[in-house]
Amino acid sequence: MTTPVCTSADTTQFTAYVRSKGPTLLRTARSLTPNPADAEDLLQTALTKTYLAWDRIDDHRAVDGYVRRTLVNTRTSQWRKRRVDEFSTDELPEPATAGPDLVEQQVQRDALLRAIARLPPRQRAMVVLRYYEDMSEVQTAEALGVSVGTVKSAVSRALGKLRDDPELELSVA
């Protein structure tokens, strides 16, 4: 069985109808489904069905009711089919890949620099050389002209002060 094709006069009438009633019909479709994109798809499907039946509609003043009935029936059919490819779950299928919070990192970095600035000059120099310049204990001792034991004990005391600093919320190793 072949579907009759609308004539150009029918197409012109249908186009004029869609232009005049489209926004109203879209509001109706949006009231039938919560997702705006689904509402647009629903309206498109209903208008396609209406276009195919356009030549069979005797009273074109009743087209609004026909399209609304088509919207409701199409939405009901979609609801009954319950698409298999969509499942609601409590957990996301993939873990969120949120990057590091750059603002929080900067806040921590600023707090750490303020805490280091409060250390005595000698401890501050040793911490900076050891952890910011990535020098070994031996290299730090040579750079400051002190013994390796002095570097170890001074850095240990400095890290203890940093751990106890109330402004810092991070763990210093």
Side-chain angles (χ1 to χ4, degrees), residues 5-6 12 14 19 32 63 83 92 96 110 115 117 137 145 148 159 173:
V5 178
C6 291
T12 304
F14 180 77
R19 283 193 178 131
L32 294 172
V63 172
R83 294 177 53 155
L92 295 174
D110 291 345
E137 291 168 341
V148 174
L159 292 179

Side-chain angles (χ1 to χ4, degrees), residues 20 24 54 85 116 127 160 166:
S20 67
T24 305
W54 191 259
D85 60 341
I116 289 172
V127 167

Side-chain angles (χ1 to χ4, degrees), residues 19-70:
R19 283 193 178 131
S20 67
K21 299 292 185 170
T24 305
L25 295 171
L26 182 58
R27 280 194 300 273
T28 303
R30 284 188 175 160
S31 69
L32 294 172
T33 181
N35 184 341
D38 289 343
E40 291 172 2
D41 291 344
L42 176 63
L43 177 59
Q44 187 67 36
T45 302
L47 289 175
T48 300
K49 290 178 180 180
T50 303
Y51 179 75
L52 294 174
W54 191 259
D55 62 336
R56 294 190 317 259
I57 299 172
D58 295 329
D59 185 7
H60 285 282
R61 290 176 295 174
V63 172
D64 288 348
Y66 181 89
V67 175
R68 284 191 182 92
R69 184 78 254 163
T70 305

Side-chain angles (χ1 to χ4, degrees), residues 70-130:
T70 305
L71 282 168
V72 170
N73 290 346
T74 302
R75 180 62 184 138
T76 302
S77 294
Q78 290 172 345
W79 174 76
R80 284 184 180 149
K81 287 180 185 175
R82 292 206 176 159
R83 294 177 53 155
V84 177
D85 60 341
E86 293 181 14
F87 299 100
S88 61
T89 63
D90 291 335
E91 297 178 18
L92 295 174
E94 296 126 14
T97 57
D101 184 359
L102 299 178
V103 173
E104 183 60 31
Q105 287 180 345
Q106 187 62 44
V107 168
Q108 287 183 349
R109 190 174 298 118
D110 291 345
L112 182 60
L113 290 175
R114 284 191 303 275
I116 289 172
R118 289 190 296 267
L119 291 173
R122 186 170 158 175
Q123 287 180 355
R124 182 173 53 239
M126 291 182 190
V127 167
V128 168
L129 291 176
R130 282 285 290 127

Side-chain angles (χ1 to χ4, degrees), residues 147-158:
S147 70
V148 174
T150 301
V151 171
K152 287 181 180 182
S153 63
V155 167
S156 176
R157 282 191 303 276

